[in-house]
Amino acid sequence: MYFTSIMANWLWVGFFGMLAGTALIYIIGSNLKVSAKYHVYLAMVITSIATLAYYAMANHQGIFMIGGKEVFVTRYIDWVITTPLLLMSLLLIALPALKSFGEVRQRIGLIGTIVFADVIMIVTGLLANVTSSTDSKRFWFLISCLGFFAVLYYMFTVVRKSAQSLGATVGRNYTTLLTFLTILWFFYPIVWLLGASGNNTIGLDAEVALYTILDLLAKAVFGILLVMMVREMKKLDS
Ligand code: RET
């Protein structure tokens, strides 16, 4: 496989889409109270990292021929930073302010566990992609899926309960965002399996196109929704 102009065009769509998403998130969040702005800034950090990643990929940077196929390492670098941040943006809605040091330690434990599982998911996904042995590929794919399910388990149990304890509105908004995130995230391993990383049934052009659409939904649209919900919740607060 090689780098086609169709791929480059889709990667530019990703670049301009993420850039526009960053601007929209800023505009939608602009009249939020200063004390709630960190939600906006975090969402903007996520789309900014993706903007840079798409710029790099559109210029064929961080894409390497490994085992006879193009491996988009830049994508995994993006994901390993932004997926923990996406989860953090939900945790910042769901987890209450802390009152004691004991709670701080518990909180570090919870966040550490979720981020650890997420990082394992991405890193082993890359290992599964680059290995030429079918057995290793299956093994790493399985570990990656275990990481994914561990993330979902914590987000749907402990963290969701915490969000609900903060009131019906927070609980409802958290669940809506988490559901949106879960549905989108499930498409990633599907595209991965169908693409060059898996059994290559759709071809690299389609793979790049699908990841671009998924990334725009999972980062830009997700960030816009999140900031809109934070606006609603802060209005109800005061
Ligand atoms: C991989 C490899 C195979 C198994 C699994 C995967 C999951 C990836 C996910 C990625 C999410 C990316 C996001 C990017 C944001 O723009 C690594 C494809 C389970 C869930 C949300």
Side-chain angles (χ1 to χ4, degrees):
M1 254 303 186
Y2 49 92
F3 198 63
T4 64
S5 60
I6 298 177
M7 278 179 228
N9 288 341
W10 273 105
L11 293 167
W12 284 118
V13 169
F15 170 76
F16 287 109
M18 290 295 178
L19 200 60
T22 310
L24 270 174
I25 290 167
Y26 176 77
I27 293 166
I28 293 169
S30 59
N31 57 5
L32 258 175
K33 299 193 272 222
V34 176
S35 61
K37 282 272 185 176
Y38 64 92
H39 293 287
V40 181
Y41 298 144
L42 180 55
M44 289 174 69
V45 165
I46 294 168
T47 48
S48 301
I49 294 171
T51 305
L52 300 179
Y54 271 94
Y55 183 86
M57 289 189 286
N59 288 292
H60 202 263
Q61 288 160 353
I63 303 167
F64 305 102
M65 271 307 230
I66 302 174
K69 64 167 194 264
E70 300 259 25
V71 176
F72 286 62
V73 177
T74 313
R75 208 184 272 303
Y76 291 85
I77 297 174
D78 170 335
W79 290 352
V80 84
I81 304 168
T82 55
T83 54
L85 293 178
L86 284 164
L87 296 171
M88 276 308 298
S89 66
L90 280 182
L91 295 174
L92 287 170
I93 287 177
L95 303 176
L98 299 175
K99 295 182 203 81
S100 71
F101 188 63
E103 288 180 345
V104 172
R105 292 202 290 195
Q106 245 183 342
R107 179 67 54 87
I108 292 172
L110 177 64
I111 295 176
T113 306
I114 295 171
V115 169
F116 171 73
D118 181 274
V119 169
I120 289 289
M121 170 182 88
I122 302 298
V123 172
T124 57
L126 175 60
L127 288 175
N129 190 343
V130 296
T131 184
S132 50
S133 138
T134 316
D135 282 348
S136 302
K137 205 184 235 337
R138 290 212 179 107
F139 175 79
W140 292 126
F141 183 81
L142 191 75
I143 301 291
S144 181
C145 290
L146 286 178
F148 184 29
F149 290 131
V151 168
L152 293 182
Y153 170 78
Y154 282 103
M155 298 303 280
F156 273 101
T157 55
V158 190
V159 184
R160 179 148 179 245
K161 217 174 275 166
S162 170
Q164 286 164 340
S165 75
L166 296 179
T169 315
V170 176
R172 182 170 36 78
N173 282 329
Y174 173 81
T175 304
T176 305
L177 286 170
L178 179 59
T179 307
F180 183 65
L181 177 145
T182 305
I183 293 169
L184 286 172
W185 284 32
F186 258 106
F187 281 102
Y188 283 86
I190 296 173
V191 172
W192 191 97
L193 280 173
L194 297 175
S197 33
N199 55 23
N200 212 358
T201 40
I202 57 173
L204 205 50
D205 283 343
E207 179 186 331
V208 170
L210 289 172
Y211 276 140
T212 304
I213 294 165
L214 283 177
D215 280 353
L216 285 171
L217 290 170
K219 289 196 180 95
V221 175
F222 179 83
I224 289 168
L225 278 178
L226 183 138
V227 170
M228 281 167 53
M229 287 184 181
V230 168
R231 261 179 28 164
E232 182 202 338
M233 287 186 279
K234 297 298 160 182
K235 229 181 274 164
L236 287 172
D237 263 359
S238 49

